[in-house]
Amino acid sequence: MERGTKGHRIDLSQLRPPLHAFADDPNEGGDVGHVAIAPVDETGKIDRPLLESWAACRDTEEEHPLTTIVLEAVVAKNVRGPVSA
Amino acid sequence: MSAVERSSSNQATEIDWQTIHESIQAIFAALADVVQSDCPSIRSRAGKTRTSRSPLFSYRVFDVPSNPTLDPVVAGVDFSPASSGQDIVVNADLCGEESGRIWFELPEQNLPAVPDILRATAEDLARKLSEQGDRIIAALNQQKTGSSPCLGTQVNSTDIVRKEYESHS
């Protein structure tokens, strides 16, 4: 995390199916230590319809079940980036 | 879900988090009106999250639908159980939804789990955030290259925000 930012620490081991964490590949321009969280189907591939339904709930006040899974895996809130650069 | 719920730390005091959320949102709605009046291209939506570890995060997200590359700004009041004891820690800030960048924040408060105190403090913090409509507009403007999403209200508050952040860190 950069200076002047904050975020939540997620324990990836607490993510429940169908969510899965995909680590960025630095060779493909990804950031070391960064992951993307997405739902997967029984074969381990991204479940696109479910992902799209998750994204579509963004503008609603309803909490999507996948959001609930992510929130329950948050183990530290408001973690700050370093004070000094 | 019952309107009156126990806090996540199982305190004996019953705290009506839904009422606190609604009190905050009533104030944020006024903020949204001001921001949208000044800059019609900015949209906002209200929300809240509650988990077993976190009794309430009440927020309003401001974004520019015509430019989804801009990191939305979240005005939020967050309640968490203190790491020790029965207190509740309250944070209020304007923060980048994707980046986590802190555009403005108020000093963290450690409060007893007393409903009236929590509600009054939540309203006070929401009011203080609601005075920062220009910062929300500036935060979105600042990210945009080329034309501003809100011509005529462009404010470059980078230095001000940085000073605010440093003064509270």
Side-chain angles (χ1 to χ4, degrees):
Chain A
M1 291 178 62
E2 297 178 359
R3 179 175 180 272
T5 66
K6 70 171 190 175
H8 298 335
R9 180 173 294 128
I10 296 173
D11 182 347
L12 298 178
S13 70
Q14 293 189 28
L15 279 182
R16 290 184 285 109
L19 287 182
H20 182 79
F22 296 88
D24 273 15
D25 182 354
N27 295 323
E28 297 289 337
D31 296 326
V32 176
H34 183 266
V35 299
I37 295 173
V40 296
D41 60 23
E42 60 276 5
T43 68
K45 291 183 179 175
I46 291 177
D47 186 332
R48 293 199 173 277
L50 187 53
L51 181 60
E52 286 168 7
S53 83
W54 192 12
C57 82
R58 175 184 167 81
D59 289 339
T60 72
E61 293 196 22
E62 293 297 314
E63 185 174 295
H64 194 281
L66 297 182
T67 303
T68 304
I69 295 175
V70 173
L71 291 173
E72 294 296 341
V74 171
V75 293
K77 297 199 312 178
N78 301 318
V79 178
R80 291 170 179 278
V83 173
S84 300
Chain B
M1 188 178 292
S2 167
V4 178
E5 300 163 79
R6 290 184 181 278
S7 73
S8 63
S9 55
N10 293 322
Q11 290 143 347
T13 308
E14 289 191 341
I15 299 170
D16 184 350
W17 292 108
Q18 180 62 26
T19 296
I20 292 175
H21 168 63
E22 289 170 1
S23 297
I24 293 168
Q25 289 303 323
I27 296 167
F28 280 172
L31 168 64
D33 288 344
V34 169
V35 169
Q36 191 157 40
S37 172
D38 287 350
C39 189
S41 60
I42 296 177
R43 169 188 69 172
S44 73
R45 56 191 161 78
K48 73 172 187 295
T49 61
R50 304 195 59 214
T51 72
S52 58
R53 296 190 186 93
S54 176
L56 177 64
F57 175 52
S58 181
Y59 61 88
R60 191 142 191 139
V61 183
F62 295 83
D63 65 3
V64 182
S66 60
N67 190 344
T69 64
L70 301 183
D71 183 25
V73 177
V74 182
V77 182
D78 179 71
F79 301 81
S80 302
S83 55
S84 60
Q86 300 276 302
D87 288 355
I88 300 287
V89 176
V90 190
N91 286 280
D93 57 34
L94 305 177
C95 192
E97 183 180 50
E98 300 288 339
S99 66
R101 177 169 177 176
I102 301 166
W103 294 101
F104 174 78
E105 67 179 335
L106 295 165
E108 181 175 282
Q109 300 207 30
N110 200 313
L111 302 172
V114 176
D116 288 348
I117 293 175
L118 289 172
R119 182 173 173 175
T121 303
E123 291 174 348
D124 180 54
L125 294 173
R127 270 189 217 99
K128 287 174 177 167
L129 287 184
S130 291
E131 294 166 359
Q132 306 302 321
D134 283 350
R135 288 185 195 273
I136 293 171
I137 295 169
L140 291 166
N141 275 336
Q142 193 174 308
Q143 299 173 54
K144 189 172 172 71
T145 56
S147 61
S148 161
C150 187
L151 294 172
T153 58
Q154 189 146 9
V155 181
N156 188 345
S157 61
T158 309
D159 291 337
I160 297 169
V161 173
R162 185 178 301 125
K163 285 172 185 170
E164 289 280 354
Y165 174 71
E166 289 170 349
S167 70
H168 293 308
S169 59

